[in-house]
Amino acid sequence: MRKIFQFDGIDQAVLSIGECKEPERVAICIKDSEGHEVHMLLGQENFRELCSLSYDIRWMPAPCQQEEDEELPL
């Protein structure tokens, strides 16, 4: 039995990441709200690099959050 992780996105989109029959590969599927799917196989090294992106992304605050931050007194 293989593990599959699914993440619900906005507008009913779904990201699925699962173990694969092929050695040292992971299967990724992105399904949009209209049912269109894109499938990819990633090797172990590329998948680990993808997973580490959360540490490299500079998250931009939402416009409403940024306005609230600007209104706070120092």
Side-chain angles (χ1 to χ4, degrees):
M1 185 179 310
R2 292 186 299 270
K3 293 180 188 174
I4 297 174
F5 300 91
Q6 290 190 317
F7 301 90
D8 294 327
I10 57 173
D11 298 329
Q12 300 177 338
V14 177
L15 169 64
S16 300
I17 301 172
E19 294 174 345
C20 186
K21 289 181 181 180
E22 294 186 30
E24 297 187 16
R25 297 222 185 265
V26 66
I28 296 177
C29 175
I30 301 171
K31 180 179 173 183
D32 69 14
S33 60
E34 297 176 6
H36 301 107
E37 294 184 2
V38 175
H39 299 266
M40 298 175 66
L41 289 177
L42 288 180
Q44 184 177 14
E45 184 178 326
N46 287 338
F47 181 70
R48 290 187 186 278
E49 184 177 354
L50 175 64
C51 290
S52 71
L53 288 179
S54 64
Y55 299 104
D56 297 330
I57 292 176
R58 293 186 190 123
W59 296 100
M60 298 298 293
C64 61
Q65 179 66 40
Q66 193 172 15
E67 291 171 7
E68 290 174 8
D69 291 344
E70 290 172 358
E71 293 175 4
L72 294 175
L74 295 175

